Each structure stands twice: as C-alpha cells, then as structure tokens.
Amino acid sequence: MDNFSYWNPVRTAFGKGSVSQLPNLLPREAKIMIVYGGGSIKKNGVYNQVVSALKGRQFSEFGGIGPNPLYETCIEAVNKVREEKVNFLLAVGGGSVIDAVKFIAAASPFKGEPWSILSEPGIMLNSAIPFGCVLTLPATGSEMNANSVISRASTMEKLHFSSPLVYPRFSVMDPEFTFSLPPRQVANGIIDTFVHVMEQYMTIVNNAPLQDRQAEAVINTLIEEAPRVVAEPKNYDVRANLMWAASNGLNGLLACGQKEDWATHMIGHELTAFYGIDHARSLAVILPALWRYKRKDKHDKLIQYARRIFAIQSDNEERAIDEAINRTEDFFNSLDVSTHLADYGINASEAASKIRDRFDQRSVAFGENADIDGAAAYEIIMTCA
Ligand code: NZQ
Ligand code: ZN
C-alpha cells in the first residue's frame, strides 16, 4: 500500500426531507446566491423546497448553468457575485452545477485571469467563497470532492482543477430529488460512478485489500441496483443506494494507498470537448478499449475483477479477462449506452487524430504508468469505431 494523506471535510445531510436542515447548515448572516441549471429544479419542486428552507435569508439566484458547464457562463456568475458582494453560494443540481459553483467560488476572489485556474495546473489559490450543495443527480461525486471540470466554448477545451478550498461545506442528498431524472441521466450516473471506481482500482494489485473490497462493494451495488432503478424508478431505497454509491465512488476514500489511472477520463473529456458527447458515454466507449490495450499491465487486477465481480472461474486467464471486459460492455449496453463511437456519429480516425495532436501539443501522458500519451490515445480510440 502506498503512503497517503486523506481529509474529507464535507458534512452530508442524507435522506428524505434533509433539505429541512438547510437553515442550520447555512451561516446565519450570509449573502447567499443560489446557482442552478436549465430548470429541472423548477419542474420537480426542488427549487420550491430550497426557497422555503431559505425563508428569512438574504439570497439572489443565478440559473442557466448547462451540462458540461461553460467558462463563459461561469464568468457571468462571477461578475454577479462581485457586484452583489455574495459571500456564500448554494449549488442546486447535478455535477455540472456543483462544478460551476466550485469554479465561481475560486474565480470570484481571484486576482488574475480566471482561465489560468484551469489552464495552469498547480496554480496557487489563496481563497474561495464557501458554498454548499443540494444534489439532484448522483454521478460525479462532486458533492463530496474538491474537483471541478469546466468547458470553454471558444476554444473547445474541457479542463479541470482541484483545490482543498473547494470542498463543499455541506451536501444535502435527498434520494427523492432523483425520482424525476430521465433514464438517460440515470444510466449516465451509474456508468460515471462505475468508471470513477475503476480509475482508482483497475491498475495493479497494491496490497490494499480493504480499499479493493470497498471499490468492489460500490461496483456490486451498481450492478445490483441498475436493473431495479430501471424497473422501479420511484423505489426510494434503490435511489438512496445509487446516491450513496456515487458519492463513495469519488470522495477520495477508494484512492487511499492505491495507484490511479484516470486516462479514460482524460480521453473522454476530449471527446466531449470536440463532439459534445455526454461525459458518461465517452467513458463507456473508452474504458473497455483502454483495458484491452493495457491488458498486460493490468493483468493481475483484471483477473481479480473477473473472479470477484463476475465470478468467472476459467483457468485460462486470457479467456477470463476477455469475458470480464465483454461483461463490462454488456453492463453498459444493458443501460442502453453504446460503447462504439459510430453510434454517437463520431468518426474514430478523425477523433483519434485530433486527440493525439492535442495530447502531443500539451506534452501530457496519463495512466498509472504515465504512458498513455498522444500515440497511445490514438491506438485506443482507433479500436472504438
Ligand atoms: O440543468 P438542469 O435543468 O438541472 O438539467 C440537468 C441536465 O440537463 C438534468 N438533471 C439534473 N438533476 C435532475 C435533472 N433532470 C431531472 N431531474 C433531476 N433531479 O440532468 C442533466 C445533466 O446534468 P449534469 O449536472 O450535467 O450531469 P452530471 O451530474 O452527470 O455532471 C456531469 C459534469 O460533471 C463533470 C463532467 O465532466 C460533466 O461536466 N464531472 C465532474 C467530476 C467531479 N467534479 O469530480 C468528475 C466527473 O468525472 C466528471 O468529469
Ligand atoms: Zn466521471
């Protein structure tokens, strides 16, 4: 097991009716700005519940954060925060709204060009406006982590930043708020969570049996609950299990002492930046292809995964790995999510060239061995047609 430092300060108020805890969670004299997306919270009643809980508080609103939140929109929000001297933000929505709020929180007091928060990895942030979340879509784990991913329309880039200053102060998680999710977003959330776990698991066997089993517990929960949420979308317990699984998928715990990969995400972000494909769908395409490409390096962990998750007992290890990867694809397909670029109208060789060139320009390489560079990404994407 590798050395690690773990700290997660996010207070979580989980369960039916927990929005009623908002008055106690919000600082007394705060000047609050509620930030939300394209309007789903107005249709499903979440907005009304939040506003009722804010009775007697000073607050304004900023709506219109889209999926894959745009830098350009966030800057409008930053201007509003500065003008109104807002000192507490409340994100009400999915990962896009929460990520946008993290960026707005960091950019509002930032003295330089805000884009550098994203484009200059490791840049020093001195402060951020505190914020809380009301989660409506279990997927990204953003409600319990310190990461944010922002897209810039003008340059077709999608970049991330991370800072302990942007941990949410609290996250309200009411599984009933997810009853209104369309099937496409439910599937996306399950797959995004699945791939987060795998980015922290599918590397080497690193003498971390507790963390391995914690990761496998999240995966088993997803596999069990996925068909149930499709069959019974109003089942509270199923929604609760999916919501807590998503938070646990990326709140830092599974990565403790482990090697991490994240190459699937880095390639996936480029597919979204160039072609607008949903985040989770980009991952469903890349993950199986990346495993096939890296099957030698990941051999021992792929075998562990095959045996423990799918109970594949074959003595022929190569066959067991093939079957485990195929069953992973079957799981994504069972959620009506394709693992082929052609099904999203994307030409594999064009995408492979564009992403190779971008990785080369930035001189980056990802994965647990830092060897998924432009050339490797090209090879992987070429098998995803
Ligand atoms: O905008 P509204 O109207 O709210 O609609 C949203 C949006 O259209 C809708 N929705 C959300 N909750 C709903 C609902 N519709 C009905 N009922 C509800 N309860 O769902 C659509 C998608 O929402 P979005 O927030 O974009 O989805 P998600 O949570 O999957 O977030 C994706 C973003 O998070 C980033 C992704 O790259 C992407 O930009 N990620 C963030 C991470 C992090 N911060 O750690 C890690 C991830 O790997 C990921 O990269
Ligand atoms: Zn993700």
Side-chain angles (χ1 to χ4, degrees), residues 36-41 43-44 46 65-69 92-99 102 135-143 145-151 158 177-182 185 188-189 192 196 250 262 265 269 272 279 283:
Y36 58 92
S40 70
I41 62 164
K43 290 198 199 106
N44 61 14
V46 172
I65 303 287
N68 306 307
V92 186
S96 292
V97 170
I98 300 174
D99 283 9
K102 288 175 178 174
L135 180 68
T136 64
L137 198 175
T140 62
S142 192
E143 68 283 359
N145 69 40
N147 310 322
S148 163
V149 192
I150 302 293
S151 299
K158 183 173 184 180
F177 288 1
T178 69
F179 284 167
S180 57
L181 280 168
Q185 298 303 338
N188 283 354
D192 195 19
H196 293 156
L250 196 49
W262 294 106
H265 266 72
H269 285 173
T272 302
H279 172 62
L283 307 175

Tab-separated table of all heavy atoms in Angstrom, residues 36-41 43-44 46 65-69 92-99 102 135-143 145-151 158 177-182 185 188-189 192 196 250 262 265 269 272 279 283, ligand 1:
chain	number	residue	atom	x	y	z
A	36	TYR	N	-28.202	27.321	-10.203
A	36	TYR	CA	-28.853	26.111	-10.707
A	36	TYR	C	-28.719	26.006	-12.224
A	36	TYR	O	-28.128	26.865	-12.871
A	36	TYR	CB	-30.316	26.025	-10.246
A	36	TYR	CG	-31.182	27.193	-10.652
A	36	TYR	CD1	-31.905	27.169	-11.845
A	36	TYR	CD2	-31.279	28.332	-9.848
A	36	TYR	CE1	-32.700	28.242	-12.219
A	36	TYR	CE2	-32.069	29.409	-10.212
A	36	TYR	CZ	-32.768	29.356	-11.397
A	36	TYR	OH	-33.539	30.426	-11.779
A	37	GLY	N	-29.286	24.928	-12.776
A	37	GLY	CA	-29.084	24.610	-14.186
A	37	GLY	C	-30.181	25.131	-15.090
A	37	GLY	O	-30.629	26.273	-14.976
A	38	GLY	N	-30.657	24.246	-15.966
A	38	GLY	CA	-31.582	24.664	-17.014
A	38	GLY	C	-33.042	24.647	-16.613
A	38	GLY	O	-33.908	24.844	-17.467
A	39	GLY	N	-33.347	24.381	-15.379
A	39	GLY	CA	-34.745	24.482	-14.956
A	39	GLY	C	-35.382	23.215	-14.420
A	39	GLY	O	-36.538	23.244	-14.006
A	40	SER	N	-34.656	22.085	-14.417
A	40	SER	CA	-35.277	20.852	-13.893
A	40	SER	C	-35.743	21.046	-12.451
A	40	SER	O	-36.771	20.517	-12.050
A	40	SER	CB	-34.305	19.656	-13.979
A	40	SER	OG	-33.240	19.794	-13.058
A	41	ILE	N	-35.026	21.861	-11.664
A	41	ILE	CA	-35.419	22.023	-10.242
A	41	ILE	C	-36.732	22.796	-10.099
A	41	ILE	O	-37.374	22.723	-9.062
A	41	ILE	CB	-34.316	22.686	-9.376
A	41	ILE	CG1	-33.986	24.103	-9.834
A	41	ILE	CG2	-33.060	21.809	-9.334
A	41	ILE	CD1	-33.194	24.904	-8.786
A	43	LYS	N	-39.249	22.318	-12.257
A	43	LYS	CA	-40.302	21.366	-12.653
A	43	LYS	C	-40.563	20.330	-11.559
A	43	LYS	O	-41.695	19.892	-11.379
A	43	LYS	CB	-39.896	20.630	-13.935
A	43	LYS	CG	-39.899	21.526	-15.152
A	43	LYS	CD	-39.924	20.700	-16.448
A	43	LYS	CE	-39.455	21.534	-17.622
A	43	LYS	NZ	-38.113	21.213	-18.111
A	44	ASN	N	-39.515	19.902	-10.861
A	44	ASN	CA	-39.703	18.793	-9.907
A	44	ASN	C	-39.914	19.237	-8.465
A	44	ASN	O	-39.986	18.409	-7.558
A	44	ASN	CB	-38.522	17.801	-9.986
A	44	ASN	CG	-37.191	18.443	-9.629
A	44	ASN	OD1	-37.144	19.533	-9.077
A	44	ASN	ND2	-36.103	17.766	-9.943
A	46	VAL	N	-37.954	20.893	-6.440
A	46	VAL	CA	-36.775	21.055	-5.579
A	46	VAL	C	-36.530	22.543	-5.295
A	46	VAL	O	-36.234	22.944	-4.159
A	46	VAL	CB	-35.529	20.397	-6.226
A	46	VAL	CG1	-34.264	20.727	-5.449
A	46	VAL	CG2	-35.724	18.890	-6.334
A	65	ILE	N	-26.919	27.297	-15.786
A	65	ILE	CA	-25.678	26.529	-15.946
A	65	ILE	C	-26.030	25.276	-16.769
A	65	ILE	O	-26.905	24.508	-16.376
A	65	ILE	CB	-25.120	26.092	-14.570
A	65	ILE	CG1	-24.869	27.292	-13.645
A	65	ILE	CG2	-23.887	25.194	-14.745
A	65	ILE	CD1	-23.683	28.149	-13.973
A	66	GLY	N	-25.383	25.076	-17.884
A	66	GLY	CA	-25.709	23.920	-18.737
A	66	GLY	C	-24.879	22.701	-18.397
A	66	GLY	O	-23.928	22.794	-17.613
A	67	PRO	N	-25.221	21.542	-18.982
A	67	PRO	CA	-24.370	20.362	-18.819
A	67	PRO	C	-22.983	20.650	-19.417
A	67	PRO	O	-22.886	21.389	-20.401
A	67	PRO	CB	-25.082	19.273	-19.628
A	67	PRO	CG	-26.437	19.808	-19.937
A	67	PRO	CD	-26.358	21.299	-19.876
A	68	ASN	N	-21.934	20.085	-18.870
A	68	ASN	CA	-20.558	20.461	-19.233
A	68	ASN	C	-20.438	21.986	-19.124
A	68	ASN	O	-20.321	22.693	-20.130
A	68	ASN	CB	-20.196	19.989	-20.646
A	68	ASN	CG	-20.435	18.502	-20.808
A	68	ASN	OD1	-19.944	17.713	-20.010
A	68	ASN	ND2	-21.235	18.131	-21.789
A	69	PRO	N	-20.494	22.488	-17.898
A	69	PRO	CA	-20.660	23.928	-17.674
A	69	PRO	C	-19.593	24.763	-18.376
A	69	PRO	O	-18.424	24.403	-18.404
A	69	PRO	CB	-20.533	24.055	-16.153
A	69	PRO	CG	-19.832	22.822	-15.705
A	69	PRO	CD	-20.244	21.752	-16.662
A	92	VAL	N	-27.561	24.008	-6.554
A	92	VAL	CA	-28.719	23.105	-6.520
A	92	VAL	C	-28.778	22.415	-7.880
A	92	VAL	O	-29.219	23.010	-8.867
A	92	VAL	CB	-30.034	23.865	-6.224
A	92	VAL	CG1	-31.175	22.877	-6.049
A	92	VAL	CG2	-29.895	24.744	-4.979
A	93	GLY	N	-28.299	21.172	-7.948
A	93	GLY	CA	-28.296	20.489	-9.235
A	93	GLY	C	-27.368	19.297	-9.252
A	93	GLY	O	-27.022	18.727	-8.207
A	94	GLY	N	-26.934	18.931	-10.463
A	94	GLY	CA	-26.034	17.795	-10.653
A	94	GLY	C	-24.578	18.250	-10.654
A	94	GLY	O	-24.243	19.364	-10.228
A	95	GLY	N	-23.719	17.389	-11.198
A	95	GLY	CA	-22.286	17.667	-11.200
A	95	GLY	C	-21.948	18.960	-11.926
A	95	GLY	O	-21.028	19.681	-11.518
A	96	SER	N	-22.682	19.269	-12.990
A	96	SER	CA	-22.346	20.482	-13.752
A	96	SER	C	-22.545	21.736	-12.917
A	96	SER	O	-21.708	22.648	-12.934
A	96	SER	CB	-23.195	20.554	-15.030
A	96	SER	OG	-22.809	19.519	-15.905
A	97	VAL	N	-23.660	21.786	-12.191
A	97	VAL	CA	-23.931	22.970	-11.363
A	97	VAL	C	-22.911	23.041	-10.226
A	97	VAL	O	-22.357	24.101	-9.930
A	97	VAL	CB	-25.387	22.920	-10.825
A	97	VAL	CG1	-25.606	23.992	-9.773
A	97	VAL	CG2	-26.382	23.076	-11.975
A	98	ILE	N	-22.629	21.916	-9.608
A	98	ILE	CA	-21.674	21.920	-8.479
A	98	ILE	C	-20.277	22.308	-8.964
A	98	ILE	O	-19.591	23.125	-8.347
A	98	ILE	CB	-21.673	20.554	-7.758
A	98	ILE	CG1	-23.073	20.247	-7.207
A	98	ILE	CG2	-20.642	20.544	-6.630
A	98	ILE	CD1	-23.227	18.857	-6.602
A	99	ASP	N	-19.861	21.733	-10.103
A	99	ASP	CA	-18.537	22.087	-10.650
A	99	ASP	C	-18.470	23.579	-10.991
A	99	ASP	O	-17.451	24.238	-10.750
A	99	ASP	CB	-18.241	21.287	-11.924
A	99	ASP	CG	-17.826	19.857	-11.618
A	99	ASP	OD1	-17.925	19.440	-10.455
A	99	ASP	OD2	-17.391	19.157	-12.557
A	102	LYS	N	-17.995	25.534	-7.887
A	102	LYS	CA	-16.606	25.467	-7.396
A	102	LYS	C	-15.729	26.474	-8.152
A	102	LYS	O	-14.899	27.159	-7.562
A	102	LYS	CB	-16.050	24.044	-7.577
A	102	LYS	CG	-16.664	23.052	-6.612
A	102	LYS	CD	-16.188	21.634	-6.911
A	102	LYS	CE	-16.777	20.654	-5.915
A	102	LYS	NZ	-16.453	19.252	-6.243
A	135	LEU	N	-27.863	18.163	-3.904
A	135	LEU	CA	-27.584	17.294	-5.052
A	135	LEU	C	-28.879	16.759	-5.673
A	135	LEU	O	-29.779	16.324	-4.953
A	135	LEU	CB	-26.730	16.106	-4.578
A	135	LEU	CG	-26.331	15.090	-5.652
A	135	LEU	CD1	-25.358	15.709	-6.647
A	135	LEU	CD2	-25.693	13.853	-5.011
A	136	THR	N	-28.939	16.782	-7.012
A	136	THR	CA	-30.126	16.232	-7.688
A	136	THR	C	-29.782	15.095	-8.644
A	136	THR	O	-30.687	14.495	-9.228
A	136	THR	CB	-30.863	17.331	-8.495
A	136	THR	OG1	-30.002	17.789	-9.544
A	136	THR	CG2	-31.273	18.503	-7.620
A	137	LEU	N	-28.501	14.814	-8.850
A	137	LEU	CA	-28.116	13.769	-9.815
A	137	LEU	C	-26.891	13.021	-9.294
A	137	LEU	O	-25.802	13.605	-9.230
A	137	LEU	CB	-27.803	14.436	-11.174
A	137	LEU	CG	-27.772	13.596	-12.446
A	137	LEU	CD1	-27.572	14.472	-13.672
A	137	LEU	CD2	-26.802	12.452	-12.448
A	138	PRO	N	-27.057	11.760	-8.890
A	138	PRO	CA	-25.896	11.023	-8.391
A	138	PRO	C	-25.040	10.520	-9.546
A	138	PRO	O	-25.515	9.783	-10.400
A	138	PRO	CB	-26.527	9.852	-7.628
A	138	PRO	CG	-27.915	9.710	-8.143
A	138	PRO	CD	-28.289	10.957	-8.874
A	139	ALA	N	-23.788	10.935	-9.596
A	139	ALA	CA	-22.909	10.551	-10.714
A	139	ALA	C	-21.469	10.913	-10.431
A	139	ALA	O	-20.595	10.053	-10.342
A	139	ALA	CB	-23.360	11.248	-12.008
A	140	THR	N	-21.218	12.209	-10.302
A	140	THR	CA	-19.844	12.700	-10.348
A	140	THR	C	-19.094	12.599	-9.021
A	140	THR	O	-17.866	12.639	-9.015
A	140	THR	CB	-19.833	14.195	-10.740
A	140	THR	OG1	-20.549	14.915	-9.730
A	140	THR	CG2	-20.516	14.418	-12.069
A	141	GLY	N	-19.820	12.537	-7.916
A	141	GLY	CA	-19.166	12.621	-6.603
A	141	GLY	C	-18.759	14.047	-6.265
A	141	GLY	O	-18.171	14.301	-5.213
A	142	SER	N	-19.073	15.009	-7.139
A	142	SER	CA	-18.648	16.396	-6.930
A	142	SER	C	-19.139	16.944	-5.595
A	142	SER	O	-18.494	17.802	-5.002
A	142	SER	CB	-19.144	17.262	-8.098
A	142	SER	OG	-18.537	18.520	-8.088
A	143	GLU	N	-20.282	16.404	-5.127
A	143	GLU	CA	-20.842	16.865	-3.845
A	143	GLU	C	-19.949	16.499	-2.661
A	143	GLU	O	-20.137	16.989	-1.554
A	143	GLU	CB	-22.253	16.272	-3.645
A	143	GLU	CG	-22.332	14.756	-3.417
A	143	GLU	CD	-22.161	13.925	-4.703
A	143	GLU	OE1	-21.991	14.521	-5.789
A	143	GLU	OE2	-22.212	12.676	-4.598
A	145	ASN	N	-16.320	15.963	-3.208
A	145	ASN	CA	-14.894	16.070	-3.537
A	145	ASN	C	-14.515	17.513	-3.868
A	145	ASN	O	-15.357	18.416	-3.794
A	145	ASN	CB	-14.512	15.085	-4.656
A	145	ASN	CG	-15.107	15.427	-6.005
A	145	ASN	OD1	-15.180	16.596	-6.405
A	145	ASN	ND2	-15.533	14.412	-6.736
A	146	ALA	N	-13.259	17.709	-4.224
A	146	ALA	CA	-12.741	19.058	-4.430
A	146	ALA	C	-12.309	19.263	-5.885
A	146	ALA	O	-11.378	20.004	-6.165
A	146	ALA	CB	-11.569	19.305	-3.481
A	147	ASN	N	-12.999	18.571	-6.807
A	147	ASN	CA	-12.669	18.686	-8.238
A	147	ASN	C	-13.747	19.469	-8.978
A	147	ASN	O	-14.915	19.436	-8.591
A	147	ASN	CB	-12.609	17.298	-8.916
A	147	ASN	CG	-11.748	16.326	-8.149
A	147	ASN	OD1	-10.723	16.699	-7.605
A	147	ASN	ND2	-12.179	15.069	-8.101
A	148	SER	N	-13.343	20.067	-10.088
A	148	SER	CA	-14.293	20.792	-10.933
A	148	SER	C	-13.817	20.688	-12.376
A	148	SER	O	-12.614	20.777	-12.636
A	148	SER	CB	-14.331	22.255	-10.490
A	148	SER	OG	-14.920	23.069	-11.474
A	149	VAL	N	-14.763	20.475	-13.286
A	149	VAL	CA	-14.422	20.349	-14.709
A	149	VAL	C	-15.229	21.394	-15.485
A	149	VAL	O	-16.455	21.410	-15.406
A	149	VAL	CB	-14.750	18.934	-15.251
A	149	VAL	CG1	-14.118	18.736	-16.628
A	149	VAL	CG2	-14.293	17.846	-14.301
A	150	ILE	N	-14.530	22.241	-16.222
A	150	ILE	CA	-15.178	23.366	-16.917
A	150	ILE	C	-14.787	23.341	-18.394
A	150	ILE	O	-13.638	23.054	-18.741
A	150	ILE	CB	-14.740	24.711	-16.280
A	150	ILE	CG1	-15.083	24.747	-14.775
A	150	ILE	CG2	-15.341	25.914	-17.006
A	150	ILE	CD1	-16.547	24.770	-14.417
A	151	SER	N	-15.758	23.675	-19.246
A	151	SER	CA	-15.507	23.692	-20.698
A	151	SER	C	-15.470	25.134	-21.201
A	151	SER	O	-16.176	25.994	-20.665
A	151	SER	CB	-16.622	22.934	-21.426
A	151	SER	OG	-16.656	21.592	-20.992
A	158	LYS	N	-11.888	21.317	-22.462
A	158	LYS	CA	-12.560	20.903	-21.228
A	158	LYS	C	-11.452	20.570	-20.238
A	158	LYS	O	-10.736	19.589	-20.419
A	158	LYS	CB	-13.453	19.681	-21.512
A	158	LYS	CG	-14.248	19.237	-20.297
A	158	LYS	CD	-15.264	18.143	-20.613
A	158	LYS	CE	-16.065	17.835	-19.357
A	158	LYS	NZ	-17.072	16.805	-19.499
A	177	PHE	N	-35.149	13.500	-4.605
A	177	PHE	CA	-34.883	14.538	-5.613
A	177	PHE	C	-34.429	13.924	-6.938
A	177	PHE	O	-34.324	14.624	-7.935
A	177	PHE	CB	-33.819	15.527	-5.125
A	177	PHE	CG	-34.297	16.460	-4.031
A	177	PHE	CD1	-35.588	16.378	-3.541
A	177	PHE	CD2	-33.458	17.431	-3.509
A	177	PHE	CE1	-36.039	17.237	-2.535
A	177	PHE	CE2	-33.896	18.295	-2.511
A	177	PHE	CZ	-35.176	18.194	-2.021
A	178	THR	N	-34.128	12.628	-6.932
A	178	THR	CA	-33.653	11.995	-8.169
A	178	THR	C	-34.770	11.228	-8.892
A	178	THR	O	-34.544	10.669	-9.956
A	178	THR	CB	-32.471	11.034	-7.891
A	178	THR	OG1	-32.922	9.889	-7.160
A	178	THR	CG2	-31.375	11.713	-7.085
A	179	PHE	N	-35.973	11.192	-8.304
A	179	PHE	CA	-37.092	10.476	-8.952
A	179	PHE	C	-37.379	11.034	-10.353
A	179	PHE	O	-37.841	10.314	-11.224
A	179	PHE	CB	-38.377	10.603	-8.119
A	179	PHE	CG	-38.421	9.726	-6.888
A	179	PHE	CD1	-39.397	9.937	-5.918
A	179	PHE	CD2	-37.517	8.693	-6.685
A	179	PHE	CE1	-39.468	9.139	-4.781
A	179	PHE	CE2	-37.575	7.889	-5.550
A	179	PHE	CZ	-38.549	8.113	-4.592
A	180	SER	N	-37.142	12.329	-10.542
A	180	SER	CA	-37.526	12.962	-11.812
A	180	SER	C	-36.458	12.815	-12.901
A	180	SER	O	-36.633	13.319	-14.015
A	180	SER	CB	-37.784	14.450	-11.568
A	180	SER	OG	-36.627	15.047	-10.999
A	181	LEU	N	-35.357	12.150	-12.603
A	181	LEU	CA	-34.288	12.046	-13.616
A	181	LEU	C	-34.745	11.246	-14.838
A	181	LEU	O	-35.309	10.166	-14.699
A	181	LEU	CB	-33.072	11.332	-13.020
A	181	LEU	CG	-32.148	12.180	-12.144
A	181	LEU	CD1	-31.175	11.274	-11.403
A	181	LEU	CD2	-31.393	13.199	-12.988
A	182	PRO	N	-34.443	11.738	-16.038
A	182	PRO	CA	-34.735	10.935	-17.228
A	182	PRO	C	-33.812	9.703	-17.278
A	182	PRO	O	-32.687	9.763	-16.748
A	182	PRO	CB	-34.435	11.868	-18.395
A	182	PRO	CG	-33.838	13.101	-17.830
A	182	PRO	CD	-33.869	13.047	-16.339
A	185	GLN	N	-30.089	10.111	-17.948
A	185	GLN	CA	-29.216	10.638	-16.887
A	185	GLN	C	-28.990	9.602	-15.784
A	185	GLN	O	-27.934	9.582	-15.155
A	185	GLN	CB	-29.795	11.937	-16.295
A	185	GLN	CG	-29.914	13.085	-17.296
A	185	GLN	CD	-28.590	13.445	-17.962
A	185	GLN	OE1	-27.512	13.159	-17.448
A	185	GLN	NE2	-28.667	14.056	-19.137
A	188	ASN	N	-26.320	7.453	-17.233
A	188	ASN	CA	-25.055	8.197	-17.194
A	188	ASN	C	-24.456	8.182	-15.794
A	188	ASN	O	-23.246	7.987	-15.622
A	188	ASN	CB	-25.275	9.661	-17.609
A	188	ASN	CG	-25.428	9.836	-19.113
A	188	ASN	OD1	-25.261	8.907	-19.882
A	188	ASN	ND2	-25.762	11.042	-19.531
A	189	GLY	N	-25.303	8.369	-14.801
A	189	GLY	CA	-24.814	8.435	-13.424
A	189	GLY	C	-24.227	7.111	-12.977
A	189	GLY	O	-23.182	7.073	-12.305
A	192	ASP	N	-20.865	6.657	-14.925
A	192	ASP	CA	-19.810	7.570	-14.443
A	192	ASP	C	-19.259	7.048	-13.111
A	192	ASP	O	-18.036	6.979	-12.917
A	192	ASP	CB	-20.382	8.989	-14.292
A	192	ASP	CG	-19.296	10.056	-14.153
A	192	ASP	OD1	-18.139	9.787	-14.518
A	192	ASP	OD2	-19.614	11.169	-13.689
A	196	HIS	N	-15.459	5.901	-12.301
A	196	HIS	CA	-14.658	6.522	-11.226
A	196	HIS	C	-14.007	5.453	-10.360
A	196	HIS	O	-12.830	5.542	-10.006
A	196	HIS	CB	-15.523	7.420	-10.337
A	196	HIS	CG	-16.029	8.622	-11.052
A	196	HIS	ND1	-17.157	9.315	-10.677
A	196	HIS	CD2	-15.551	9.254	-12.159
A	196	HIS	CE1	-17.346	10.316	-11.513
A	196	HIS	NE2	-16.396	10.293	-12.423
A	250	LEU	N	-16.283	8.652	-5.589
A	250	LEU	CA	-15.243	9.663	-5.835
A	250	LEU	C	-15.175	10.688	-4.702
A	250	LEU	O	-15.223	11.890	-4.921
A	250	LEU	CB	-15.478	10.352	-7.201
A	250	LEU	CG	-14.305	11.153	-7.771
A	250	LEU	CD1	-13.002	10.388	-7.754
A	250	LEU	CD2	-14.607	11.612	-9.183
A	262	TRP	N	-7.036	7.201	-14.500
A	262	TRP	CA	-7.675	8.434	-14.998
A	262	TRP	C	-7.463	8.719	-16.483
A	262	TRP	O	-7.877	9.758	-16.988
A	262	TRP	CB	-7.272	9.671	-14.156
A	262	TRP	CG	-7.821	9.530	-12.766
A	262	TRP	CD1	-7.120	9.223	-11.628
A	262	TRP	CD2	-9.210	9.574	-12.369
A	262	TRP	NE1	-7.979	9.088	-10.556
A	262	TRP	CE2	-9.253	9.299	-10.979
A	262	TRP	CE3	-10.417	9.822	-13.051
A	262	TRP	CZ2	-10.445	9.258	-10.256
A	262	TRP	CZ3	-11.598	9.789	-12.324
A	262	TRP	CH2	-11.605	9.517	-10.953
A	265	HIS	N	-10.820	9.007	-18.341
A	265	HIS	CA	-11.447	10.320	-18.179
A	265	HIS	C	-10.786	11.386	-19.049
A	265	HIS	O	-11.475	12.228	-19.632
A	265	HIS	CB	-11.407	10.741	-16.705
A	265	HIS	CG	-12.655	10.368	-15.966
A	265	HIS	ND1	-12.950	9.069	-15.633
A	265	HIS	CD2	-13.706	11.112	-15.540
A	265	HIS	CE1	-14.113	9.041	-15.018
A	265	HIS	NE2	-14.596	10.261	-14.952
A	269	HIS	N	-12.834	13.369	-21.749
A	269	HIS	CA	-13.058	14.825	-21.721
A	269	HIS	C	-12.793	15.445	-23.090
A	269	HIS	O	-13.490	16.379	-23.498
A	269	HIS	CB	-12.151	15.482	-20.675
A	269	HIS	CG	-12.618	15.257	-19.261
A	269	HIS	ND1	-11.884	15.638	-18.177
A	269	HIS	CD2	-13.737	14.695	-18.758
A	269	HIS	CE1	-12.538	15.317	-17.062
A	269	HIS	NE2	-13.667	14.727	-17.396
A	272	THR	N	-15.730	14.822	-25.343
A	272	THR	CA	-16.825	15.756	-25.037
A	272	THR	C	-16.487	17.156	-25.550
A	272	THR	O	-17.338	17.841	-26.108
A	272	THR	CB	-17.086	15.791	-23.516
A	272	THR	OG1	-17.403	14.465	-23.083
A	272	THR	CG2	-18.244	16.710	-23.169
A	279	HIS	N	-20.634	13.016	-20.866
A	279	HIS	CA	-19.434	12.562	-20.156
A	279	HIS	C	-19.419	11.034	-19.974
A	279	HIS	O	-18.450	10.354	-20.356
A	279	HIS	CB	-19.362	13.273	-18.800
A	279	HIS	CG	-18.292	12.762	-17.905
A	279	HIS	ND1	-16.955	12.836	-18.228
A	279	HIS	CD2	-18.347	12.141	-16.695
A	279	HIS	CE1	-16.238	12.306	-17.255
A	279	HIS	NE2	-17.057	11.865	-16.317
A	283	LEU	N	-16.957	7.774	-21.527
A	283	LEU	CA	-16.239	6.803	-20.692
A	283	LEU	C	-16.605	5.367	-21.078
A	283	LEU	O	-15.740	4.479	-21.105
A	283	LEU	CB	-16.579	7.010	-19.208
A	283	LEU	CG	-16.398	8.423	-18.639
A	283	LEU	CD1	-16.884	8.484	-17.192
A	283	LEU	CD2	-14.944	8.877	-18.721
B	1	NZQ	O1	-29.761	21.681	-15.976
B	1	NZQ	P1	-30.974	21.023	-15.439
B	1	NZQ	O2	-32.234	21.572	-15.938
B	1	NZQ	O3	-30.946	20.918	-13.935
B	1	NZQ	O4	-30.963	19.507	-16.020
B	1	NZQ	C1	-29.936	18.577	-15.784
B	1	NZQ	C2	-29.079	18.346	-17.018
B	1	NZQ	O5	-29.782	18.574	-18.193
B	1	NZQ	C3	-30.568	17.231	-15.568
B	1	NZQ	N1	-30.950	16.974	-14.177
B	1	NZQ	C4	-30.166	17.059	-13.069
B	1	NZQ	N2	-30.868	16.671	-11.987
B	1	NZQ	C5	-32.113	16.351	-12.421
B	1	NZQ	C6	-32.174	16.542	-13.810
B	1	NZQ	N3	-33.286	16.322	-14.543
B	1	NZQ	C7	-34.367	15.888	-13.863
B	1	NZQ	N4	-34.380	15.638	-12.529
B	1	NZQ	C8	-33.277	15.859	-11.773
B	1	NZQ	N5	-33.284	15.567	-10.464
B	1	NZQ	O6	-29.581	16.297	-15.951
B	1	NZQ	C9	-28.778	16.863	-16.982
B	1	NZQ	C10	-27.317	16.552	-16.716
B	1	NZQ	O7	-26.872	17.199	-15.540
B	1	NZQ	P2	-25.318	17.347	-15.228
B	1	NZQ	O8	-25.185	18.088	-13.953
B	1	NZQ	O9	-24.630	17.856	-16.426
B	1	NZQ	O10	-24.865	15.813	-15.048
B	1	NZQ	P3	-23.743	15.165	-14.178
B	1	NZQ	O11	-24.074	15.183	-12.747
B	1	NZQ	O12	-23.521	13.856	-14.817
B	1	NZQ	O13	-22.461	16.110	-14.364
B	1	NZQ	C11	-21.612	15.998	-15.493
B	1	NZQ	C12	-20.476	17.002	-15.393
B	1	NZQ	O14	-19.623	16.695	-14.271
B	1	NZQ	C13	-18.269	16.560	-14.724
B	1	NZQ	C14	-18.448	16.073	-16.143
B	1	NZQ	O15	-17.273	16.233	-16.901
B	1	NZQ	C15	-19.579	16.939	-16.625
B	1	NZQ	O16	-19.126	18.218	-16.976
B	1	NZQ	N6	-17.514	15.676	-13.815
B	1	NZQ	C16	-17.194	16.159	-12.601
B	1	NZQ	C17	-16.421	15.449	-11.707
B	1	NZQ	C18	-16.052	15.982	-10.392
B	1	NZQ	N7	-16.379	17.215	-10.081
B	1	NZQ	O17	-15.407	15.277	-9.591
B	1	NZQ	C19	-15.894	14.118	-12.039
B	1	NZQ	C20	-16.523	13.512	-13.234
B	1	NZQ	O18	-15.614	12.567	-13.759
B	1	NZQ	C21	-16.934	14.450	-14.299
B	1	NZQ	O19	-15.843	14.771	-15.133
